[in-house]
Amino acid sequence: SFEAHTTEVTLLAFLDEYRCFISGDFLGNLIIWTISPWKERHVPVVQFEFIVKVPPEDFTRDTPTSAALHAPTHTLYIAGSKGVVNAYDTSALLEALIQWQGVDVTGKQKGKMCPPLPPRQIVRNPREGRSFVPDPRFNRPFSDDILLASGDVTKDVAQYLDWPRDKSGAEMRCKFPNTIVKKRFGWVAHDDSIKSMQLIQEKFDLGSSAAGGEDPEGAATNNASSHNVLEAVCILTASTDQRVRRSN
């Protein structure tokens, strides 16, 4: 069971290379869960909060709406209802997962736990395209305490999570502390809620460069031409202000 959120789930994304998925709710809670082929699957791995900074305001908690993982750099991008994108370092998380589940009794890693996946068809999320982040008060009654906590970073919104229980009836808490996922940076991508985000690998042709020249006697040396190609990741975000923006 993946039941833990007690407010509306606003984010659900698979982190294919990690064999996990991430869920987020209205209060700003983010939970990463294990899935197959990990030995212990459907287990909450880490829980952290989506805290953003929107100038000129100070830091505030936000509702996550979209997520994407750039596996080569172990960077998890999360976007929210205030138009902000945060980048998180997840390298320590993958190492912890392998140490927890990917080793045998001798402590050696049992082969490659995360083989590359075949290309999968991207199916449009039926919830994409909505023009607003719904107010949870219309879905179910919430106490004033929960609604006040949604905008107060000093409140511990994790207390409102209802963790699932294992076969023995014990509460399933996260395996790792929230410090294992560290925020790298963040930026304001839109003035309104971000409803979709995609990572695109791009290659830029920088032209050819020649190595060589003339020796002191004026004789030309052999010129070796090389083709310079720069690879970079660009992030496309679409928001409810009907704009699509690109960030590098």
Side-chain angles (χ1 to χ4, degrees):
S1 173
F2 299 105
E3 297 180 2
H5 301 284
T6 57
T7 57
E8 184 191 4
V9 176
T10 58
L11 166 65
L12 181 63
F14 286 92
L15 312 179
D16 289 339
E17 293 81 0
Y18 283 21
R19 299 304 192 268
C20 297
F21 79 89
I22 184 170
S23 61
D25 62 25
F26 169 79
L27 287 178
N29 285 305
L30 293 162
I31 304 175
I32 296 179
W33 308 76
T34 55
I35 54 177
S36 180
W38 292 119
K39 292 180 296 184
E40 292 192 41
R41 51 190 180 271
H42 308 170
V43 174
V45 177
V46 61
Q47 179 270 333
F48 57 105
E49 297 178 11
F50 187 50
I51 305 293
V52 301
K53 186 174 184 180
V54 184
E57 299 179 6
D58 202 355
F59 288 97
T60 182
R61 189 180 292 107
D62 192 16
T63 299
T65 57
S66 187
L69 174 68
H70 186 241
T73 58
H74 300 286
T75 304
L76 175 62
Y77 297 93
I78 299 179
S81 65
K82 295 184 182 296
V84 176
V85 180
N86 280 352
Y88 297 89
D89 181 1
T90 56
S91 57
L93 173 62
L94 182 59
E95 293 177 3
L97 282 169
I98 292 175
Q99 290 298 319
W100 170 38
Q101 299 203 18
V103 296
D104 58 20
V105 293
T106 65
K108 296 181 179 179
Q109 185 175 346
K110 297 191 299 181
K112 193 172 184 179
M113 291 297 296
C114 294
L117 284 176
R120 65 183 177 89
Q121 182 181 4
I122 298 178
V123 181
R124 179 179 174 81
N125 186 338
R127 301 192 62 171
E128 285 187 12
R130 64 185 184 186
S131 59
F132 63 98
V133 176
D135 190 329
R137 287 173 290 187
F138 293 115
N139 298 334
R140 65 176 74 176
F142 285 134
S143 67
D144 292 338
D145 184 39
I146 292 180
L147 294 175
L148 290 174
S150 64
D152 188 353
V153 294
T154 63
K155 297 287 186 179
D156 179 20
V157 294
Q159 64 179 310
Y160 300 109
L161 294 171
D162 186 11
W163 296 104
R165 298 184 179 275
D166 59 20
K167 295 180 180 179
S168 66
E171 196 173 55
M172 295 175 60
R173 287 285 182 171
C174 289
K175 292 292 183 180
F176 308 122
N178 57 12
T179 53
I180 204 168
V181 176
K182 298 180 180 179
K183 180 181 174 181
R184 285 179 170 168
F185 54 87
W187 73 94
V188 179
H190 292 270
D191 296 328
D192 208 340
S193 174
I194 296 175
K195 63 181 182 180
S196 181
M197 177 170 57
Q198 294 288 338
L199 301 186
I200 298 178
Q201 190 81 20
E202 290 189 322
K203 294 184 179 180
F204 300 94
D205 187 355
L206 303 181
S208 58
S209 61
E214 292 187 353
D215 63 16
E217 300 295 331
T221 59
N222 292 331
N223 290 333
S225 297
S226 61
H227 207 60
N228 295 328
V229 177
L230 174 65
E231 294 189 4
V233 175
C234 96
I235 302 172
L236 295 180
T237 51
S239 75
T240 54
D241 58 9
Q242 300 182 352
R243 294 180 180 180
V244 176
R245 289 183 176 171
R246 169 185 170 190
S247 305
N248 292 328

